[in-house]
Amino acid sequence: MLVEERRWVAPDDFAQVLALCQLLPGPNIANCSVVLGRRWFGLGGAAAAFLGLFALPFVWVLALAALYADYATHPLVRSIVAGVGVAGAGLFMGTALKLAKPLARKPAGLVIIAGCFLGVGVARVSLLIVLPIAAALALFAARNRLI
């Protein structure tokens, strides 16, 4: 929404903010809200962005958890939860494709992405091994203006 609908953030800038937020502990969207809130409105903006994003959903999740505890074994509820999981996976894949667009014009970025996919997804190498190697290659490519 920030990039496509409102156009408050450029796609490249959002990709950089998200990359930073993925390295920080916690949910990516919370980290992004804090970073962008601080950038635009200072410390108060960071707090307001975080609370505005999470205060009401926190209450909803607690209420849903109480309901789920009572109905978790019901087949319809299990089917709904499985469907929500599939929808979440689809949203995740769609976001990954949108974030890859700025890198699609840069061959070095595509090579690093492909290497990570092949290493983790196909060869089943631990992410703890692949991620530092990918980060080092990305830093090298960025310093040499390949990315």
Side-chain angles (χ1 to χ4, degrees), residues 8 16 25:
W8 289 346
Q16 290 175 0

Side-chain angles (χ1 to χ4, degrees), residues 35-146:
V35 168
L36 293 174
R38 175 133 180 14
R39 178 189 291 178
W40 293 327
F41 302 106
L43 187 59
F50 181 79
L51 291 174
L53 188 65
F54 283 104
L56 187 59
F58 178 72
V59 173
W60 277 104
V61 167
L62 287 179
L64 287 173
L67 279 173
Y68 183 73
D70 293 336
Y71 298 102
T73 58
H74 193 278
L76 179 63
V77 173
R78 295 181 97 163
S79 298
I80 290 171
V81 170
V84 169
V86 171
L91 287 171
F92 177 78
M93 291 174 15
T95 301
L97 290 174
K98 287 179 184 178
L99 289 173
K101 282 183 183 179
L103 291 175
R105 293 175 241 125
K106 301 169 183 170
L110 291 175
V111 169
I112 293 170
I113 291 170
C116 289
F117 174 76
L118 291 172
V120 176
V122 177
R124 301 283 189 210
V125 177
S126 172
L127 189 60
L128 294 174
I129 295 170
V130 173
L131 195 57
I133 294 170
L137 289 173
L139 285 173
F140 174 78
R143 284 194 178 149
N144 291 318
R145 305 226 187 270
L146 299 173

